[in-house]
């Protein structure tokens, strides 16, 4: 996988559900080093979790020889986190889930991962292609923007 | 891997409390469905889900919960959730879960509200 | 740095004191996934911390373009953790520190890092050379050996 | 980076309590030395260090503590440590710190033991 030497921390995970927790713990610890407040650390954990799960399930399609890479950097009170998989990115973006339609069975039960990522990040780019596959590039500010 | 839940059922008057230990993820599906089935076998009309305030909830777990909410709606059951951290209260609100389940700070609050409702 | 694909988790850290905390958080989360008890998780955190600090200070000699790599795997209730730096290993092993001698000023105040690593691991190999430098290879069992 | 300590000095009868907030690492050296100097300015003969039971202590911090212990020994001061987690009690014992400082579960225990001793 492409190695960017300016990243402060890089974590490579086996492609197995559950290991996203390790990336979450790592990200939380990273944000603590930079004095991020609790609510933003929780937001960061959730976006890292959702992006890692998507990388495992959709990007790497569950292949157990594939890897997920999470990399973290912090510049001027903004943490940037990139989650990479070995796939080719999101083919079709589902609309934001509408819970009333879902409950009534008019809409499939999908799209919560991307929805949470979009809601909790301050900036996000999907489908960034790297030498080895797809990457989602997310930023989160120390202070929640209102 | 901590991919299981222990769910204890406790009857509090008219309310059935489902006390969920462990994280709420896609792996919770069989455990939550089983507990919900048991609550139905007891003919529960008011259900309170209790989660740990330090539990990990991801979108897979949210999907499992929404499936339960769809059923409680169809079955005319009243459902509440207690114990969520501030973060997951925010998220449950974002996702719209709060339109189909009431959110309570504590089990006591939840039991009281559901008993009255 | 040499990449071993059988490792479940790999973390690469910038060579800066404080970042060892991220490797600690990562290791703790990894051990939790495998159900390690609290006391063994604490031991693991300490050995990861000490080995990472040594890698930063002695292996990479504080060079801020150098990296520290920590990799984790778990087989049959034993966690193996490897900490790599870009140096050439320990030249001379100090004796175990004798606190009475240190307090009386008869011995320098060094050697606690290696001492803790030796005490808290169930198996340790120092000075394993890889393509890129030195590595310490440590194992810790789920149950403390008495 | 959380590389600093807040150390509060509090006189409890004959014992000077140094309440240390934050992790104990090589970065703690100036903060601990300053607090120890202030205790000495007050002519403290009995000193209790209080650490957080969730604080991070590494070998750099252990070295800083041992430097303080060397000084308390030379100055004929009685020193205790309170608040350590089980893990760090084990480590302080391994390293031999327990030969030069008494270890107490709580500040109250420490104050009582040092006042009596
Ligand atoms: N890393 C990825 N690679 C390829 N496709 C993805 C990736 N992440 C998301 N997707 C696509 O976007 C859809 C929505 O993702 P998400 O919102 O997480 O919901 P869900 O995982 O429940 O389907 C997925 O079903 C998938 O088709
Ligand atoms: N990764 C390493 N690379 C090179 N030398 C090392 C490494 N780790 C330890 N050493 C050597 O071993 C000595 C003892 O290390 P340690 O027990 O951690 O104590 P300290 O860091 O206080 O010197 C160091 O002073 C150094 O010379």
């Amino acid at each position: 996988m492409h190695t960017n030497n300016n990243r402060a921390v890089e974590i490579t995970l086996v492609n197995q559900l559950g290991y996203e927790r390790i990336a979450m713990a790592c990200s939380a610890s990273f944000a603590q080093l930079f004095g991020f407040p609790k609510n933003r650390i929780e937001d960061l954990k959730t976006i890292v979790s959702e992006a890692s799960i998507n990388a495992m399930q959709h990007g790497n399609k569950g292949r157990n020889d594939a890897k997920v890479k999470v990399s973290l950097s912090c510049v001027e009170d903004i943490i940037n986190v990139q989650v990479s998989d070995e796939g080719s990115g999101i083919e079709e973006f589902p609309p934001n889930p509408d819970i009333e339609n879902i409950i009534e069975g008019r809409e499939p039960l999908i799209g919560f991962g991307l929805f949470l990522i979009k809601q909790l990040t301050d900036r996000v780019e999907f489908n960034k292609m790297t030498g080895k596959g797809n990457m989602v590039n997310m930023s989160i500010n120390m202070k929640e923007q209102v | 891997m901590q991919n299981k839940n222990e769910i204890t059922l406790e009857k509090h008057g008219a309310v059935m409390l489902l006390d969920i230990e462990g994280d709420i993820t896609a792996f919770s599906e069989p455990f939550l469905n089983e507990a919900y089935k048991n609550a139905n076998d007891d003919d529960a009309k008011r259900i309170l889900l209790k989660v740990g305030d330090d539990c990990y909830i991801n979108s897979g777990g949210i999907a499992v919960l929404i499936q339960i909410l769809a059923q409680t709606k169809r079955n005319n059951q009243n459902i509440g959730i207690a114990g969520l951290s501030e973060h997951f209260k925010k998220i449950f609100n974002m996702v719209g879960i709060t339109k189909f389940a009431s959110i309570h700070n504590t089990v006591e609050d939840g039991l009281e509200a559901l008993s009255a409702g």
Side-chain angles (χ1 to χ4, degrees), chain A, chain B:
Chain A
M1 233 170 266
H2 172 75
T3 296
N4 178 338
N5 276 310
N6 296 320
R7 312 299 295 180
V9 177
E10 292 185 342
I11 318 143
T12 308
L13 303 172
V14 286
N15 201 57
Q16 201 174 312
L17 229 49
Y19 279 80
E20 76 278 7
R21 292 164 204 249
I22 293 163
M24 292 168 73
C26 211
S27 309
S29 167
F30 185 75
Q32 263 161 26
L33 269 191
F34 290 95
F36 271 53
K38 191 170 174 300
N39 65 331
R40 296 269 68 194
I41 294 179
E42 290 301 321
D43 291 344
L44 177 65
K45 282 164 67 182
T46 291
I47 64 170
V48 166
S49 160
E50 296 301 332
S52 301
I53 292 172
N54 278 347
M56 291 171 186
Q57 295 189 315
H58 304 302
N60 293 335
K61 302 188 196 309
R63 274 177 35 229
N64 58 22
D65 61 329
K67 299 280 184 182
V68 172
K69 200 171 90 172
V70 178
S71 85
L72 293 151
S73 65
C74 183
V75 178
E76 286 176 3
D77 292 358
I78 300 176
I79 288 180
N80 175 263
V81 48
Q82 302 178 336
V83 178
S84 311
D85 58 52
E86 300 171 18
S88 47
I90 304 172
E91 267 176 41
E92 206 180 328
F93 284 83
N96 286 345
D98 176 328
I99 193 165
E100 315 215 4
N101 285 336
I102 290 171
I103 293 262
E104 300 301 340
R106 290 189 298 259
E107 214 181 81
L109 187 53
I110 65 158
F112 288 103
L114 295 183
F115 176 71
L116 290 177
I117 290 172
K118 287 185 280 180
Q119 290 292 311
L120 300 174
T121 47
D122 291 292
R123 216 178 118 253
V124 57
E125 295 175 292
F126 295 102
N127 288 5
K128 303 282 289 178
M129 298 310 287
T130 70
K132 272 292 216 107
N134 167 55
M135 184 234 277
V136 48
N137 188 19
M138 306 178 283
S139 294
I140 208 158
N141 299 351
M142 186 181 297
K143 296 202 178 56
E144 213 158 352
Q145 312 289 297
V146 270
Chain B
M1 302 266 171
Q2 310 153 313
N3 289 335
K4 42 174 207 238
N5 299 104
E6 298 265 352
I7 307 185
T8 321
L9 272 73
E10 257 179 46
K11 217 165 163 170
H12 288 261
V15 185
M16 184 65 86
L17 174 68
L18 274 60
D19 191 338
I20 307 167
E21 260 198 41
D23 299 325
I24 305 198
T25 67
F27 294 107
S28 304
E29 185 161 14
F31 304 100
L32 269 167
N33 284 343
E34 160 92 6
Y36 178 60
K37 192 183 156 298
N38 290 338
N40 282 340
D41 288 347
D42 206 83
D43 222 7
K45 286 288 160 215
R46 298 159 190 210
I47 295 174
L48 182 61
L49 305 181
K50 154 81 165 61
V51 303
D53 71 347
D54 59 350
C55 81
Y56 160 48
I57 307 180
N58 62 26
S59 61
I62 288 175
V64 173
L65 287 175
I66 290 177
Q67 285 173 320
I68 301 274
L69 298 190
Q71 296 178 68
T72 55
K73 174 126 199 294
R74 275 200 299 279
N75 297 335
N76 279 314
Q77 289 159 317
N78 207 339
I79 186 161
I81 305 174
L84 290 170
S85 68
E86 286 308 313
H87 177 65
F88 285 110
K89 275 187 207 162
K90 176 174 86 178
I91 287 199
F92 278 34
N93 194 34
M94 268 177 187
V95 166
I97 287 185
T98 43
K99 293 181 199 158
F100 296 92
S102 53
I103 306 292
H104 309 279
N105 286 328
T106 63
V107 168
E108 292 69 41
D109 289 359
L111 290 175
E112 200 179 322
L114 286 165
S115 301

